[in-house]
Every structure is written in C-alpha cells, then in structure tokens.
Amino acid sequence: MTALFVAGLLPLLGALLLPGLTQPRSRTAGVVATAVVLTVFLLVATSVPRFVDSPGPGSFPWIPQLGLSVSILADGLSMLFALLISGIGVIVFSYATAYLGAAERRRRFFCYLLLFMGAMMGVVLSANLISLFVFWELTSISSFLLIGYWHERDASRAGALKALAVTSAGGLAMLVGFVMIGSVCGTYEIPEILARRELLASSRWATPAALLVILGAVTKSAQMPFHFWLPSAMEAPTPVSAYLHAATMVKAGLYLVARLGPLFAAIEPWTSALTTLGLATMAWGSLMALRQTDLKGLLAFSTVSQLGLIMSLLAGATPGASSAGLLHLLNHACFKGALFLLVGIIEHEAHTRDVTRLGPLSRQMPRTWGLLAVGALSMAGMPPLGGFVSKELFLEYMLHLGPIAALVAVAGSILTAGYCFALAAGLARGRVGADETPAHDPGASLLWGPGLLVALSIALGFAPQMLVGHLVEAATAAATASPAPHLHLALWHGLNPALAASATALAIGFVIYSAWWSRRAPAPPKLLADRVYEAFLVGLESGARSLTASYMSGLLWRYVVIVLGLLGAGLALVLIENGLPAYQPWPARPALAVDYMTIAVCAAAAIGTVLARTRLAAILALGANGYALALVFVELGAPDLALTQVMVETAATVLFLAVFVYLPTYQPSESRQARPAHLLLSAAIAAIVVRFLASARTARVAPTISEYFVEHSLPDGGGHNIVNVILVDFRGLDTLGEISVLTVAGFACYAIVKLARARGTRSA
C-alpha cells in the first residue's frame, strides 16, 4: 500500500519541485518529468499482482489529532486505471519531450502535465468520496491549464474555459450527490458505502443522488448533450490530447460509473439513463466524426463515440457487459493514444491536419501511415486486432438487450467503420487535388511510443486472455461487487449473430467511406450544443450586468439596506424555523448607575453620528460611541477587550481624519433625510439581534466553553492571561488568518497611498 501512496503522491511532488530543478525552456524538464512518470509506472506495475489477488482499502494518518487520514482503495478496478494512467503517461511524456520545440516553455508544460496525472491518480486511488471529488475537480483545473497552454490563441482560451465550465458544473452537482450518499450511509468511505447499498436504495434520496452522480459522470466523459467541450479541447498540444483521450480526464467519468455501479445499479434511472445516453452518444459521435476534415476533430468525435460505447456497457454493472466495457477501455487507450500521437507527427511534418490537403501518406510517410492504419482498423473492429474482440462482445451484449439497442449499436458501428477507413485507406492515397506537401517519417524518438501502442493493439487481438484476462476479471469483480468471473477472451467465438453484425458493419462502413471520400467535404456544422453554450454565456453576462446595475447604485445607504435586510431576514427565518423559546434571564450582577450612564452615552453618540451635518462631527460622535463601549467592557471586568477597543477606536479615528482630508467638501443631500422605512428596518434589526442572542443563551444545551479555557490555559497554554492564550494557542489558526487579512489590507493601503502620492507628484 505504501508503494501506491508514493505513486499517487509522486506526480504532485514532481509538479511542485520541477520549477526549482530545471530552466523554463530546457529539455531537461521533459527528461525529469518522464523519469518521475516511469517511477510511478514501475511502482504501480509491481503492485498489480498483489492487489489484484487480494484487494482492500488502506489508510495513512494525515492529522491524527483530528482523526483524519488518507484512505486508498486498491483493487482490480483501481489497478487497471492506475496502470493505464501511468503506462500511457510514460509514452506521452517521452513523446512530448521530443515533440515540443525549443521555443516552448517546456517546464511549465510538464508541471501542468504532472499535475494532471497526479489528479487522475488521486481519482482512481481514493477510497473516500470527498477526496475523490477534490481530485476530480483538480483534473478539471489542470486540464484547463493544459488546453489553454497556448493562451495567446483565442480558440485555446475558449476551449479551456468551455471544458472547465462544463466539467466543473457537473462536478459540483456530483458533490451534492456525494453528500446525500454520505448522509444516508453514515460514511464517505467507498467500501463501507457499497456494503450499505441497501440502506441507500431504501432512502428517498436514492434517485436524486443517482441523477446528480450521473450528471457528474456524463459531463466529465463528454456524453450527450455535454459532448461539445471535447472537440474544443483539441486546441491543446497533441501530447495533451493523446493523454486526455487515452488515459485521463474523459476516463474519469467511466471510472466513476464502474466504481459506483454496484451502488446504483438497482436504482432507477441509473442503468436506463446511462445506457440510453451511451448509445445515443456513440451514434451521434460517429456521424459527426464522419463529417470532419480536421484529423484531430475526427479523432475527438471518435472519442465521444467510443466513450458512449463503453458507458453503455458499464451502465448495468453486470459481469458480462462490464468485462466487455473494461476490455474495450484498454483497447481504446491503445489505438486512440497511438492515433493522436501519429496525427501530431503528421501535423509536425506536413504542417496541416486537413484531410483535403494531405497527400498520399503511404508514399510520403510509410511508417507513420502504417501505424496509423493499424490503429484505425483496430478502432473499426477489424480482425485480428484487439478492437475486434471487444467490439464483438459489445455487439453480442446489445443484440441481447433489445431491437432498438441493437439497431443503434450496429448503426454506430457502421459509421465508426466509415471514418476509420477514411483514416486508414483514405490517407493512403489522399484526396484528388490534395497538396503534395513534402513530408517524411520522423525518428524513433517520436515513433516508438505509438509503435508500442499499435503493437499492443495487435497483441490484444491474438492473446487477450493471456495479456489482460486476469486483470479484467479482477476489475470486473470490483465493478460489479461480485466474485471474479471466469472470462473467455478470444479472437474467435465461432459463427454467431455478433460476428455477422460486425462483418455487416465493416462492409457497409467501407461503402460509406468510398462515397464520402470521393465527394468534396462540406464545412463541419456548428453543434447545437455549442450555440446553446454561447447563448448561455451571453445571457449570463448580460444578466449579471443587469443584476449588478440594479443594486450597485453608488449610494451607501442602499448597500446598507440590502445587507441589513438580508441579515435580518436570515436571523428571523432561523428563529421562526426553530421556534421562539421563552426568554429566561441569566445570572448577572445588578445594574449600577454608572452602567445606565454609559449606555446612555453610547446611545447619544450613535444618534449624534446619524444626525451629524459634517464629517468631523460624525467622526467624533462615532469615536465617542466606541470609547463608551470600551467603558462598558471595563465595567464588566474585561480589561483586555477594553484596551483592544480603545486601540481600534483610536486608530480608526485617526485614519478617518487622515482620509477625509482628501475628500471633497461635504454637501448634504436629500439622501440624508430621514426615511420611516429605514427607521423601521433599523428597529427590526435591533429587535431581531437582541431576541436572537437571548434565544441562543436560553437554548444552551452544554456548559460554556469558557470553563474549559479557564482550566486549561495555564497547564496547556502556559499563560495566566486567558485571553492571550485563547488567541495564541486555542484559536491560533483564527488569529493567523486575522493577521494575514490585516497584512494584506496594510499592503493595499500602502499601495493606494503610494499611488496617490505618485499622481500628486505628476500633477504638481
């Protein structure tokens, strides 16, 4: 378990320490980052045999005094995803080291990429829902930084914002669902929650929690109608696109569905909603991919389609479908990672990704095209490649699910075959009239990674059971909360309806490719979801302006009315909701004449502040009120508070006098006239606050904490002054926060004064 803890922490430490070890544009940053990722991969790979055979959670103390610990969940599902993240990570980091030019800020890029990897490792290894959510949102933040890496481009900034807005919104909805789950089950630890799934199923919060978790999963995994952010994310550098599509970010939603499938499988509408969304996304993504002329756009929509396929398999949390989905997830990581890296090579060499401008790659870049063709055919489900094995299992499951599901699955497979043939055969000969742009194969530093992934795609076709059978069985057991099934993953399952459907899809797909490739490709249509998103942003901005203009009038009294009105309404709501307990006086010394005199001075000073006709009179009256309050503290036996009050009032009075010198001459206006509504609001606020304090005192159910401070200040804090011990020891973090706020405010005041002096000097 320690090895997994280190593996999850190491990328985050690498991102933190990399700036101190390398120069901004040095290639060393990539070498160091790749070494970190290789170490993570070795730690995970050596841990796989142990935790696949004997899964279980573990924890590491974090803040033992508060009972907080870092919990890790290590089972077949976590190991499969961790192996995928770290293994693909080694290839992507090595590729990026050779891919990025000398002008790029490599150090910043690899810091972001390490943060991205660490966040994803945290998602798949967390045994606690809250920590999973923290890492979940960290993947959104780090992907925002990576997608917008070329921030000088408008498209990069827009794509990064779109990805962040969609996935973060879904994540916040998911958090509400997590809170519901934790409240019903009495814990946020995932193994304990799964053990208490009957408790959640019988709760009225089961369906709302399921819907909210679905919202988080489908936004992260780009399912309809939230798929539109993924094509826009293609503005990121190619290594980022490859990593995002093959092993991270979009795979987080699939992991969540697989992890919580046993919890929600018996709760409607979990299975039906995810299956429907998955199949619809598969078909629509395939159709949109076929209409793209940009290679990265084509691959982006193909990822949307493939994610829908996997989502529909994982939705039911059944052993047969889940094992097919997890196997296809591995196949997808291999062929999609290879395809993105190869498209990056094509763009690097030919300086374009437009299929209408690319010449015959089989002649210009034979090795690159050969690898690209094998990867594309694996995605199409062509035997004897790995994609064929998992695609056939998918079709077999859908044929048994019903005619509508089977029809949509076959239609999606046909369209998938069409755009895959466009990649494999179409780029081999190029379009008629395409540019004969000089291009050639790169060196081994760029080709070894995609070559290895393509080799794995071939091996997963010939020997899937030997290579990943045991791992998929263990992952399926975790995703279904059942004993590990005995799978038979093989290239040949005999003549069956699934094989016939697969062959039909390939044949019709080739016909569709032939008809599409020979025509002039139309401009890709703008997605309706994109238009809705843009309209939403425009409406949100205009609505925010209108709302701000409605209350930001520049009149202080209006701001005070809003703040006090909301405060009074909130306190009144609390009192009404909890009832109005009978007022009970508490023990106190009898009031003396000096008490009444002091209170009278406070009241008179407050009234004088309101009625003052000059700023100087208002400042003096306000100061008198503060000093009278200090006298109240003295009378009540709190000299420390009295001294603090005197210091605050003195400093505030001096600052007011110093600032008001620079203000224009005060001109009384109608806004200072008394208003009955304001008087009523002030009286209501005073009455509500007094009643609230009295109710709080009456409703006390435990002894006051002051007794604890009196007893422990000297033995634990080593001080006779109880107030000082409270501020420094018992509430040290609060005091630190207050000091930090005052420090920031002091710097701000210094900056304002310095700026004012500079302007005054220029004016003179």
Side-chain angles (χ1 to χ4, degrees):
M1 194 66 73
T2 303
L4 288 181
F5 180 77
V6 174
L9 191 62
L10 201 55
L12 301 177
L13 288 176
L16 184 65
L17 299 177
L18 193 61
L21 300 175
T22 60
Q23 297 299 316
R25 290 180 170 84
S26 172
R27 192 179 294 272
T28 308
V31 176
V32 173
T34 304
V36 171
V37 178
L38 180 60
T39 304
V40 173
F41 172 72
L42 294 175
L43 290 172
V44 172
T46 54
S47 301
V48 166
R50 172 188 172 189
F51 293 109
V52 163
D53 294 327
S54 57
S59 63
F60 294 87
W62 180 24
I63 307 178
Q65 294 84 352
L66 300 179
L68 299 180
S69 60
V70 178
S71 53
I72 293 178
L73 182 57
D75 57 14
L77 188 63
S78 295
M79 290 294 98
L80 185 148
F81 276 87
L83 196 63
L84 200 64
I85 295 164
S86 57
I88 300 291
V90 173
I91 295 173
V92 168
F93 275 75
S94 174
Y95 176 93
T97 303
Y99 182 83
L100 294 177
E104 300 288 353
R105 293 184 176 271
R106 296 189 179 102
R107 185 177 68 184
R108 185 178 68 183
F109 176 85
F110 284 106
C111 282
Y112 293 166
L113 203 58
L114 282 171
L115 179 64
F116 192 37
M117 178 186 181
M120 192 64 195
M121 289 289 290
V123 168
V124 302
L125 292 177
S126 294
N128 184 282
L129 288 180
I130 302 302
S131 61
L132 187 151
F133 166 76
V134 172
F135 288 112
W136 182 281
E137 291 298 275
L138 190 57
T139 62
S140 296
I141 295 172
S142 53
S143 67
F144 169 80
L145 297 173
L146 287 167
I147 296 169
Y149 174 72
W150 288 319
H151 55 82
E152 64 277 1
R153 304 179 183 177
D154 293 338
S156 296
R157 296 196 301 272
L161 178 61
K162 189 181 296 184
L164 180 66
V166 174
T167 59
S168 295
L172 291 176
M174 182 188 72
L175 175 62
V176 178
F178 283 175
V179 172
M180 292 179 180
I181 296 171
S183 300
V184 173
C185 296
T187 179
Y188 289 99
E189 296 297 316
I190 295 175
E192 297 179 20
I193 290 173
L194 294 178
R196 304 175 188 178
R197 54 182 177 271
E198 292 82 6
L199 189 62
L200 178 65
S202 61
S203 169
R204 62 190 179 97
W205 298 110
T207 299
L211 292 173
L212 291 168
V213 173
I214 287 174
L215 192 58
V218 298
T219 52
K220 186 72 82 172
S221 286
Q223 302 295 289
M224 289 182 65
F226 306 104
H227 61 291
F228 61 93
W229 70 264
L230 190 56
S232 299
M234 293 305 95
E235 295 299 328
T238 295
V240 176
S241 300
Y243 203 27
L244 189 151
H245 286 251
T248 59
M249 188 67 167
V250 294
K251 294 295 195 296
L254 300 178
Y255 171 79
L256 184 70
V257 171
R259 176 59 71 194
L260 298 184
L263 181 67
F264 288 115
I267 299 172
E268 286 296 335
W270 177 268
T271 301
S272 58
L274 287 176
T275 303
T276 303
L277 286 175
L279 289 175
T281 302
M282 177 195 177
W284 179 253
S286 299
L287 178 62
M288 293 305 299
L290 196 60
R291 303 186 66 179
Q292 303 301 309
T293 57
D294 179 86
L295 285 178
K296 284 185 74 172
L298 189 155
L299 291 181
F301 278 105
S302 75
T303 296
V304 171
S305 174
Q306 297 295 305
L307 292 173
L309 184 157
I310 300 171
M311 184 70 77
S312 65
L313 289 171
L314 297 177
T318 58
S322 295
S323 60
L326 293 171
L327 178 62
H328 196 72
L329 185 140
L330 289 172
N331 280 314
H332 178 262
C334 293
F335 60 67
K336 189 53 63 68
L339 289 172
F340 264 107
L341 297 179
L342 292 167
V343 166
I345 292 173
I346 294 172
E347 181 184 16
H348 187 271
E349 297 296 330
H351 307 292
T352 183
R353 301 193 308 254
D354 191 342
V355 296
T356 64
R357 298 177 56 194
L358 288 169
L361 293 184
S362 60
R363 186 175 70 244
Q364 296 175 340
M365 307 173 68
R367 290 192 294 273
T368 302
W369 173 81
L371 295 175
L372 183 78
V374 175
L377 292 176
S378 180
M379 182 163 57
M382 178 72 73
L385 303 173
F388 168 76
V389 178
S390 51
K391 181 68 74 67
E392 192 177 36
L393 293 175
F394 163 72
L395 291 172
E396 181 180 358
Y397 174 73
M398 290 301 160
L399 290 174
H400 287 88
L401 200 60
I404 297 178
L407 182 62
V408 175
V410 172
S413 299
I414 291 171
L415 295 171
T416 298
Y419 66 72
C420 289
F421 284 127
L423 285 172
L427 291 179
R429 57 190 178 92
R431 283 182 181 268
V432 176
D435 299 338
E436 290 289 337
T437 305
H440 56 82
D441 285 315
S445 60
L446 288 176
L447 280 178
W448 80 267
L452 177 59
L453 291 174
V454 168
L456 287 173
S457 292
I458 298 173
L460 286 173
F462 284 102
Q465 185 69 39
M466 182 180 69
L467 290 177
V468 297
H470 187 46
L471 180 60
V472 171
E473 288 175 356
T476 302
T480 58
S482 60
H486 296 289
L487 302 177
H488 177 59
L489 305 178
L491 183 63
W492 177 253
H493 288 276
L495 297 174
N496 53 38
L499 180 62
S502 181
T504 303
L506 290 172
I508 300 177
F510 187 80
V511 174
I512 290 177
Y513 145 71
S514 301
W516 173 75
W517 191 260
S518 61
R519 297 175 55 193
R520 177 181 293 274
K526 190 170 185 178
L527 296 179
L528 174 62
D530 267 325
R531 294 198 292 268
V532 172
Y533 168 79
E534 292 172 2
F536 172 76
L537 286 187
V538 172
L540 182 64
E541 186 173 352
S542 61
R545 285 201 188 101
S546 301
L547 179 62
T548 303
S550 67
Y551 66 87
M552 293 296 291
S553 59
L555 298 176
L556 181 60
W557 66 267
R558 288 190 178 178
Y559 302 154
V560 174
V561 167
I562 294 173
V563 172
L564 292 182
L566 291 175
L567 174 64
L571 294 178
L573 183 63
V574 172
L575 290 174
I576 294 172
E577 183 71 19
N578 295 278
L580 296 174
Y583 172 77
Q584 297 178 2
W586 54 85
R589 67 170 176 78
L592 305 176
V594 66
D595 298 327
Y596 291 107
M597 293 174 60
T598 306
I599 297 301
V601 171
C602 285
I607 295 173
T609 303
V610 175
L611 299 179
R613 309 302 294 176
T614 65
R615 292 195 181 99
L616 180 60
I619 293 171
L620 295 178
L622 187 63
N625 178 274
Y627 287 119
L629 184 60
L631 185 58
V632 172
F633 291 149
V634 172
E635 294 169 4
L636 295 177
D640 291 326
L641 291 178
L643 180 60
T644 303
Q645 181 68 23
V646 169
M647 293 175 63
V648 169
E649 285 301 324
T650 302
T653 302
V654 172
L655 287 175
F656 282 147
L657 290 173
V659 171
F660 282 9
V661 170
Y662 296 96
L663 295 180
T665 304
Y666 176 69
Q667 298 291 338
S669 63
E670 294 182 359
S671 63
R672 287 299 306 271
Q673 295 178 358
R675 286 182 170 84
H678 294 179
L679 182 60
L680 290 176
L681 177 62
S682 300
I685 291 294
I688 291 174
V689 169
V690 170
R691 190 68 178 88
F692 189 85
L693 292 176
S695 300
R697 177 78 185 196
T698 303
R700 184 184 296 278
V701 295
T704 174
I705 197 173
S706 59
E707 299 175 0
Y708 174 85
F709 290 146
V710 171
E711 295 175 359
H712 294 82
S713 289
L714 183 58
D716 294 346
H720 293 275
N721 190 313
I722 299 176
V723 175
N724 289 348
V725 174
I726 292 173
L727 294 176
V728 176
D729 295 304
F730 293 117
R731 297 183 58 186
L733 289 177
D734 289 347
T735 305
L736 178 62
E738 293 166 0
I739 293 173
S740 302
V741 170
L742 291 175
T743 302
V744 173
F747 281 123
C749 293
Y750 172 76
I752 292 173
V753 171
K754 187 175 181 180
L755 182 62
R757 286 181 176 177
R759 289 179 177 176
T761 303
R762 287 196 297 269
S763 300

